[in-house]
């Protein structure tokens, strides 16, 4: 087992569960491989806010496999084999932002998305950060708290589409402010 990526698949990649359209685990495989026909991956992500209601916006590394150098508000990644969405969200907050302990994390919504890896279920969580992040420079080139409307504006482009959707869903007033 790799301490950074968890259990490994036979091809050396991270192991993930595949789910049916009802979000029930029905298979396992490599994160790197394609999901079997008709099955979906699972992702967990968190939108972090501060006491002023601003969102943590970050710019992905230029070396990121998908959406390189894009801005995003979703801190997250794949749900590993045997993990629950919440556990994966907590792990990603630790790995990407250095938050060892997190209290008050709540799931805001879960829905099906289509992304560069294929169809997936995405569980979006919310968490009010109670301390400054310590971003992983291999994953995050820059981060800072900004007003939700500013994140949706023209200054922070390109913005990952799923992150933009999360902002519109969680902060409907931000879309109207543009």
């Amino acid at each position: 087992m790799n301490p950074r990526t968890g259990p490994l698949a036979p091809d050396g990649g991270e192991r993930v569960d595949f789910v049916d359209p009802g979000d029930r685990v029905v298979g396992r495989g490599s994160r790197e491989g394609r999901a079997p026909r008709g099955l979906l991956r699972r992702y967990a992500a968190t939108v972090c806010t501060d006491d002023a209601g601003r969102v943590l916006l970050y710019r992905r590394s230029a070396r990121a496999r998908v959406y390189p150098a894009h801005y995003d508000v979703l801190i997250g990644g794949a749900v590993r084999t045997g993990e629950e969405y919440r556990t994966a969200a907590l792990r990603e907050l630790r790995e990407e932002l250095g938050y060892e302990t997190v209290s008050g994390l709540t799931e805001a919504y879960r829905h099906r998305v289509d992304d560069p890896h294929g169809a997936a279920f995405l569980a979006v969580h919310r968490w009010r950060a109670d301390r400054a992040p310590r971003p992983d420079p291999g994953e995050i080139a820059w981060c800072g708290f900004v007003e939700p409307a500013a994140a949706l504006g023209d200054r922070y482009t390109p913005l990952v589409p799923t992150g933009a959707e999360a902002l519109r869903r969680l902060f409907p007033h931000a879309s109207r402010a543009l």
Side-chain angles (χ1 to χ4, degrees):
M1 174 159 32
N2 180 327
R4 171 84 173 135
T5 61
L8 299 179
D11 67 0
E14 185 177 352
R15 287 188 58 80
V16 296
D17 292 331
F18 297 114
V19 296
D20 66 15
D23 200 13
R24 292 177 295 269
V25 175
V26 295
R28 293 193 168 112
S30 173
R31 175 181 173 200
E32 305 305 320
R34 298 210 42 88
R37 185 178 199 96
L39 299 183
L40 299 92
R41 299 175 182 285
R42 297 184 309 151
Y43 295 107
T46 303
V47 174
C48 299
T49 58
D50 66 4
D51 288 335
R54 299 176 302 171
V55 296
L56 182 66
L57 180 72
Y58 72 98
R59 193 175 71 243
R60 298 169 61 83
S61 163
R63 296 183 312 273
R65 289 184 301 181
V66 295
Y67 299 116
H70 280 55
Y71 289 93
D72 201 358
V73 296
L74 294 173
I75 299 293
V79 177
R80 294 179 182 157
T81 293
E83 267 186 330
E84 297 296 326
Y85 287 102
R86 186 180 196 300
T87 305
L90 291 167
R91 175 180 46 77
E92 292 290 344
L93 286 169
R94 183 180 62 251
E95 290 176 358
E96 295 186 20
L97 295 177
Y99 292 121
E100 293 295 328
T101 59
V102 171
S103 62
L105 181 76
T106 60
E107 186 173 320
Y109 65 91
R110 187 182 305 182
H111 71 134
R112 185 185 162 161
V113 296
D114 291 304
D115 75 1
H117 296 296
F121 279 105
L122 171 66
V124 175
H125 299 78
R126 290 183 79 156
W127 180 61
R128 194 187 72 209
D130 55 5
R131 57 201 172 279
R134 294 184 325 255
D136 175 351
E139 303 234 10
I140 297 175
W142 169 89
C143 71
F145 286 96
V146 302
E147 294 296 327
L152 285 168
D154 294 335
R155 180 173 179 194
Y156 301 104
T157 60
L159 184 62
V160 173
T162 308
E165 179 182 354
L167 285 170
R168 287 190 290 273
R169 287 180 77 149
L170 297 175
F171 305 94
H173 64 281
S175 295
R176 291 189 294 274
L178 296 176

